[in-house]
Amino acid sequence: MGSRIEAVFGGVLVLLVIAAAIVALVNMPGGRGPGDHYAGGGNGELPQILPVGPIGANEYVCPCFESAFELAGSSVDVMSSQYRTGYEQCRAVGSSAGADAWTAGWNARLSARPFEASCRSYVRSASR
């Protein structure tokens, strides 16, 4: 009789552990929960770096610089998909100038004086 009670409580315990694991997997960031309607991994969001629609010749430089500056302050590194996506977007729109602005923004945040870095100072130094 004692072993039957242990078996019942053991079975209930196993079911609770499995249920907790399923709930944890569904509620994880990037997990497939209710309302997720995307294909692919991660959280399904790609960074929006550049404005949507037609832009002028120099309108991509500051958005690229500032987006890279902000991204460098988060917990991502150069090998992350966010960095590569932003860099590729800036390079596609602005050729080498967009890629240079992205790199300058990233490096400005990681420099010893990020409080002095701004897009305006980058544009001034790049035009020399």
Side-chain angles (χ1 to χ4, degrees):
M1 180 83 170
S3 64
R4 281 184 150 181
I5 292 174
E6 289 173 2
V8 169
F9 282 118
V12 169
L13 181 64
V14 168
L15 290 176
L16 287 174
V17 168
I18 291 172
I22 290 171
V23 168
L25 286 175
V26 169
N27 290 332
M28 279 180 50
R32 297 273 185 201
D36 288 343
H37 302 290
Y38 60 87
N43 63 1
E45 298 177 10
L46 290 176
Q48 179 65 40
I49 303 298
L50 302 174
V52 177
I55 58 176
N58 291 324
E59 291 180 32
Y60 56 83
V61 172
C62 282
C64 287
F65 181 94
E66 291 164 0
S67 296
F69 187 85
E70 184 177 324
L71 185 65
S74 64
S75 62
V76 300
D77 63 352
V78 179
M79 299 304 291
S80 69
S81 62
Q82 294 95 337
Y83 179 90
R84 288 187 312 238
T85 300
Y87 179 82
E88 291 296 327
Q89 285 179 350
C90 288
R91 189 177 77 173
V93 172
S95 184
S96 65
D100 291 346
W102 177 268
T103 304
W106 181 270
N107 291 335
R109 177 61 158 240
L110 299 179
S111 71
R113 297 179 173 181
F115 54 89
E116 292 179 356
S118 69
C119 181
R120 190 181 321 178
S121 64
Y122 167 70
V123 170
R124 261 194 320 261
S125 69
S127 65
R128 289 184 206 171

